[in-house]
Amino acid sequence: MSTRSPSAATRTIPTTTATTTPTTATPTTPDPGGRPLTVAVVSAGMSDASSTRLLADRLAEATRDGLDGVPVRIERVDLRPLAHAVTDHLLTGFPAPGLRAALETVTGADALIAATPTFKASYSGLFKSFFDLVEDGALADLPVLVAATGGTARHSLMLDTAMRPLFTHLKALVLPLGVYAATEDWAGETLEPRIRRAGAQLAGLLAPGTVRSTRTAGGVPAGGARAERGGGFAEVPDFADLLARVGP
């Protein structure tokens, strides 16, 4: 199953807290390990019904679908209700019960989906402050799927310039594929294939050999649409032909 160290994978996960909402998939095949896999989903959306939360939820569902019958438990952690508790912990060093439960959910999971809105071409302050509270080594070898939302696709590189370095520093295993959803992506047809492909990639790390094929999903970048052949440049001559005309 997961490559996570046994001590982290067998840690007890809280089932009901003020900030987590557990959801258990109905398995079609028994779990050889005797327990469902746990995927923690952290969302730093700034409103109750945020696009960041929506993206995180859809990635979680894509991961569950990719596992194709392997029992999996989704533990959701919304950071917005924990904002005051995060600040208090940074100042006092003592976590409130709800925050402690959220941290244990993240560090005790078999995989993590982390989603944040984009601020100043980076993650939000609340997102960073929460992960500042994670103990050194607590996320070691944990598969992490990073995701972000923003107003424009021009900031999509923040997945590689901000989020990936953060989780690499925490010694997590960051998936090669992240998902950035710009405003225009929600009305297009390219976001869902990227979500499905990322979910399948995370599922492949959790349970190799059980993942559905995503070869047809495609890989259109954030804010982009798949162009028709030629892309408006059908009349532009081939560069190799131009060189051939010049001669030696």
Side-chain angles (χ1 to χ4, degrees):
M1 287 292 182
S2 171
T3 58
R4 189 86 195 281
S5 59
S7 60
T10 56
R11 193 174 300 170
T12 302
I13 308 299
T15 56
T16 56
T17 69
T19 56
T20 61
T21 306
T23 304
T24 305
T26 301
T28 57
T29 57
D31 179 23
R35 68 172 188 87
L37 294 168
T38 302
V39 177
V41 183
V42 175
S43 168
M46 303 306 291
S47 60
D48 289 331
S50 67
S51 60
T52 303
R53 169 65 188 267
L54 177 60
L55 178 60
D57 285 346
R58 289 174 66 175
L59 286 168
E61 291 304 315
T63 302
R64 175 157 51 189
D65 292 344
L67 287 168
D68 198 15
V70 175
V72 58
R73 181 187 180 114
I74 306 297
E75 293 276 359
R76 293 178 172 85
V77 177
D78 290 318
L79 299 186
R80 182 175 180 269
L82 295 171
H84 288 290
V86 168
T87 302
D88 290 343
H89 186 10
L90 289 171
L91 295 175
T92 66
F94 297 99
L99 177 58
R100 182 185 296 110
L103 291 169
E104 290 176 353
T105 295
V106 171
T107 58
D110 296 297
L112 170 65
I113 296 172
T116 177
T118 302
F119 288 103
K120 308 296 184 182
S122 185
Y123 35 64
S124 70
L126 177 58
F127 183 88
K128 178 59 163 59
S129 295
F130 176 79
F131 283 101
D132 281 344
L133 301 177
V134 175
E135 295 182 4
D136 290 341
L139 300 186
D141 300 327
L142 177 70
V144 177
L145 169 57
V146 295
T149 58
T152 173
R154 291 178 305 212
H155 295 309
S156 60
L157 283 177
M158 63 83 68
L159 293 177
D160 295 318
T161 60
M163 297 191 72
R164 191 176 302 278
L166 170 63
F167 287 104
T168 299
H169 175 75
L170 294 172
K171 301 179 180 62
L173 298 177
V174 188
L175 269 66
L177 184 63
V179 178
Y180 184 92
T183 300
E184 62 265 28
D185 288 330
W186 295 101
E189 299 179 355
T190 64
L191 179 59
E192 186 62 25
R194 290 190 285 121
I195 289 174
R196 289 290 161 190
R197 186 180 174 191
Q201 193 174 89
L202 180 58
L205 280 179
L206 287 170
T210 64
V211 182
R212 299 171 180 172
S213 175
T214 58
R215 290 292 185 182
T216 60
V220 182
R226 190 180 299 278
E228 297 180 359
R229 188 173 182 82
F233 297 95
E235 303 301 323
V236 177
D238 185 82
F239 186 64
D241 291 339
L242 293 176
L243 288 177
R245 293 175 192 175
V246 173

